[in-house]
Amino acid sequence: MEVDLSKITLRPFKLEDADDFLLFAGDDQVTNYLRWQTLSSKQEALDHIKDVCIPHPWRRSICIDNCSIGFISIFPFSGEEDRFKANVGYGVAVKYWGHGIATKALKMAVPQFFADFPDVVRLEAFIDAQNLGSQRVVEKTGFQKEGMLRKYAYMKGKLRDMFIYSFLSTDLPANP
Amino acid sequence: MEVTSVVQLDQTKAKDEYPNLSLRPLQVSDVDDFMVWASDEKVTRFCTWEPYTNKEDGLNYIKNIVVPHPWLRAICIDDRPVGAISVSANSGNDKCRGELGYVLAFKYWGKGIVTRAVMMVVETIFVEWPHLERLEALVDVENVGSQRVLEKAGFQREGVLRKYLIVKGRSRDRVMLSFLSTDYQS
């Protein structure tokens, strides 16, 4: 399958995306390193889009030909000390892995997010030590690896080592 | 970084060096001692909070934050509080993790007191909280003294988190250090 990366777009989710959403959100391989429970029905997909995706401060559908094949979420923290930081997460349908789509989408998302949230200075991503694919995505996007946090959190019931990566607003190229 | 070192705390030696150092709950009756360190801007320099300016605020802090705190102890010399040390608790998927914080009156700096207090916490917290796997501390990059305290106590430096917090209106880089329950061998 050839993928023309110039056809990748980002847009907010719509209820009409439910079937496509289920294709990736219903797949254990995609949700393996996410905190989400794998979805198992179109109703769950509809509920998730309505209750989580649409009210989310910044979640975008990754689209090819306007069809949803994945998501990017950037979630600003709340609280006086933390509100200038945001957490990054993403996932792409397995069928589309290996073409650089997540990297392309993340490279598009980062400057858009900083423009939408000018108070945020730090994006961070916590990536499972075993999730090599995702480590490559953030590294190619320009995130800096800051260290490995040992036994940092539980993910799907197992205690995980995680790499912490960051991208600061000052890391954005002057002329994008 | 490979974690292979195991900290063996030489408990007998440490007790001899600090025979009058103890940890106990901090109480409302300790407020005057509390104000000695809490009002000192040398002490609060790298803290997220401003120095206390009146005893009423100190009393409110002890009543509202200290008393219900999941784990906070006064660091005492001859049973008089000269500082405090605490471990925060998290819930859900983050329950394995607690954050260490401490503060010491300026007069007592440079004697290894906090290092000893940290070691005492490490000795007990994993036993008191069996669900705790990781004790972590986030130290300002410029706070070299505090980084040394933790390294001497056996914490591992994991990296520098850039612009991790806003402290007193400025973004600060913080060094992340951790001590795992498996790093400890009694």
Side-chain angles (χ1 to χ4, degrees):
Chain A
M1 175 175 63
E2 270 297 313
V3 172
D4 179 0
L5 289 178
S6 67
K7 292 218 157 88
I8 301 293
T9 55
L10 302 182
R11 61 155 172 79
F13 276 99
K14 304 177 292 197
L15 290 174
E16 294 76 8
D17 293 323
D19 289 315
D20 295 327
F21 192 79
L22 188 59
L23 285 179
F24 59 85
D27 186 343
D28 284 338
Q29 281 190 270
V30 175
T31 64
N32 185 29
Y33 291 115
L34 299 176
R35 289 213 159 156
W36 303 12
Q37 284 308 309
T38 312
L39 303 187
S40 55
S41 70
K42 180 163 174 176
Q43 186 59 50
E44 283 185 16
L46 280 165
D47 290 342
H48 193 103
I49 294 175
K50 183 164 64 75
D51 300 333
V52 181
C53 299
I54 289 174
H56 193 286
W58 208 97
R59 178 172 286 187
R60 297 288 180 269
S61 167
I62 302 173
C63 295
I64 289 187
D65 296 326
N66 205 34
C67 194
S68 181
I69 61 156
F71 78 97
I72 293 196
S73 282
I74 307 187
F75 199 107
F77 290 89
S78 51
E80 205 38 52
E81 290 157 10
D82 295 340
R83 60 184 171 70
F84 70 99
K85 288 194 294 200
N87 185 274
V88 175
Y90 47 82
V92 171
V94 173
K95 166 176 167 183
Y96 289 97
W97 286 11
H99 297 278
I101 291 172
T103 304
K104 169 78 182 177
L106 193 55
K107 282 182 171 170
M108 291 164 69
V110 167
Q112 276 184 35
F113 176 85
F114 280 126
D116 290 342
F117 283 85
D119 284 347
V120 173
V121 310
R122 172 185 169 90
L123 300 186
E124 48 186 33
F126 291 84
I127 305 201
D128 195 291
Q130 297 187 338
N131 190 352
L132 300 175
S134 199
Q135 290 162 35
R136 276 196 295 269
V137 167
V138 290
E139 284 166 7
K140 282 192 265 180
T141 304
F143 279 67
Q144 273 196 40
K145 184 190 285 195
E146 292 172 331
M148 191 178 81
L149 309 180
R150 305 175 297 154
K151 295 192 179 173
Y152 192 69
Y154 285 100
M155 180 72 82
K156 305 261 158 87
K158 286 167 64 186
L159 197 53
R160 314 300 309 188
D161 294 338
M162 295 183 174
F163 285 110
I164 183 166
Y165 287 85
S166 69
F167 195 113
L168 303 187
S169 54
T170 44
D171 292 339
L172 283 171
N175 298 302
Chain B
M1 188 173 83
E2 263 296 308
V3 175
T4 52
S5 67
V6 157
V7 176
Q8 288 183 284
L9 297 177
D10 193 340
Q11 295 185 32
T12 338
K13 178 172 186 271
K15 280 207 182 98
D16 288 342
E17 282 176 5
Y18 303 94
N20 51 358
L21 177 66
S22 62
L23 302 183
R24 63 154 174 81
L26 184 69
Q27 289 144 348
V28 167
S29 51
D30 295 320
V31 66
D32 290 321
D33 290 328
F34 169 82
M35 290 301 290
V36 168
W37 72 78
S39 62
D40 185 347
E41 63 180 20
K42 294 188 293 299
V43 171
T44 67
R45 180 176 165 208
F46 294 113
C47 295
T48 54
W49 41 277
E50 296 289 355
Y52 281 70
T53 52
N54 69 74
K55 190 160 148 173
E56 172 95 13
D57 288 345
L59 279 167
N60 287 332
Y61 172 76
I62 297 176
K63 275 190 283 205
N64 301 329
I65 307 291
V66 170
V67 168
H69 195 286
W71 207 96
L72 190 153
R73 300 287 182 272
I75 300 172
C76 294
I77 302 279
D78 298 324
D79 205 45
R80 285 288 296 276
V82 297
I85 188 162
S86 62
V87 180
S88 70
N90 289 303
S91 57
N93 284 318
D94 302 321
K95 208 167 138 94
C96 51
R97 202 161 79 235
E99 186 179 337
L100 180 72
Y102 45 75
V103 70
L104 187 73
F106 183 71
K107 170 175 162 182
Y108 293 92
W109 288 15
K111 303 177 202 293
I113 289 173
V114 178
T115 305
R116 179 63 201 140
V118 170
M119 288 175 161
M120 289 164 77
V121 170
V122 162
E123 281 165 40
T124 65
I125 197 70
F126 296 112
V127 175
E128 284 187 37
W129 289 2
H131 59 272
L132 190 71
E133 304 275 352
R134 171 189 172 91
L135 192 56
E136 62 183 26
L138 288 140
V139 181
D140 195 287
V141 280
E142 287 180 21
N143 193 351
V144 176
S146 196
Q147 291 164 39
R148 273 203 293 265
V149 161
L150 292 166
E151 283 163 350
K152 277 193 267 180
F155 277 65
Q156 297 247 356
R157 197 180 163 111
E158 290 173 333
V160 176
L161 310 184
R162 304 177 299 155
K163 296 193 182 175
Y164 192 70
L165 273 188
I166 293 219
V167 176
K168 293 161 176 158
R170 292 167 61 215
S171 323
R172 305 297 307 173
D173 295 350
R174 292 240 151 171
V175 180
M176 173 72 91
L177 302 104
S178 70
F179 195 110
L180 302 188
S181 59
T182 46
D183 290 343
Y184 179 67
Q185 194 178 75
S186 56

